[in-house]
């Protein structure tokens, strides 16, 4: 198993959007892409339906992780939460 950070470390260009729907494994996916998130600061669309409970993850762990990294809630569409990164002046 490879992390997204290792697979995409030499990507040319900017990654501007990431959609994650992994039936509860969203937090694990985020853990493998922290460098990518901090470098590219893409808009994140992430599903949160509490499937992570089956994997012994706390409620909303992926959302809490994004917010801890500095991402900000933007909008919601059903069970998909949309996060972005605030512009620094």
């Amino acid at each position: 198993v490879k992390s997204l950070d290792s697979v995409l470390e030499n990507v040319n260009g900017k990654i501007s959007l990431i959609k994650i729907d992994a039936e509860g494994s969203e937090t694990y996916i985020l853990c493998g892409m922290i460098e990518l998130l901090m470098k590219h600061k893409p808009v994140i669309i992430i599903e949160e339906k509490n499937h992570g409970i089956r994997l012994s993850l706390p409620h909303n762990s992926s959302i809490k992780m994004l917010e801890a990294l500095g991402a900000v809630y933007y909008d919601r569409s059903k069970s998909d939460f949309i996060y972005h990164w605030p512009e620094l002046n």
Side-chain angles (χ1 to χ4, degrees):
V1 175
K2 292 185 178 183
S3 69
L4 283 172
D5 280 339
S6 67
V7 171
L8 300 174
E9 67 185 335
N10 295 318
V11 70
N12 292 321
K14 180 160 175 61
I15 297 170
S16 58
L17 175 70
I18 295 175
K19 166 76 165 108
I20 304 172
D21 180 351
E23 301 302 316
S25 296
E26 291 81 4
T27 302
Y28 295 121
I29 291 170
L30 289 172
C31 286
M33 59 188 293
I34 292 174
E35 290 177 30
L36 181 146
L37 293 174
M38 302 315 293
K39 178 180 177 183
H40 295 275
K41 301 202 182 295
V43 169
I44 305 283
I45 302 172
I46 191 163
E47 183 185 55
E48 181 60 63
K49 284 186 176 177
N50 270 341
H51 293 303
I53 291 173
R54 294 178 290 174
L55 302 170
S56 300
L57 293 170
H59 176 66
N60 289 336
S61 60
S62 58
I63 299 300
K64 291 175 184 173
M65 183 175 184
L66 278 173
E67 291 175 350
L69 292 171
V72 176
Y73 173 81
Y74 176 73
D75 202 355
R76 180 178 180 177
S77 175
K78 296 183 182 178
S79 60
D80 289 336
F81 289 77
I82 304 168
Y83 275 78
H84 71 101
W85 306 86
E87 294 293 325
L88 299 176
N89 295 341

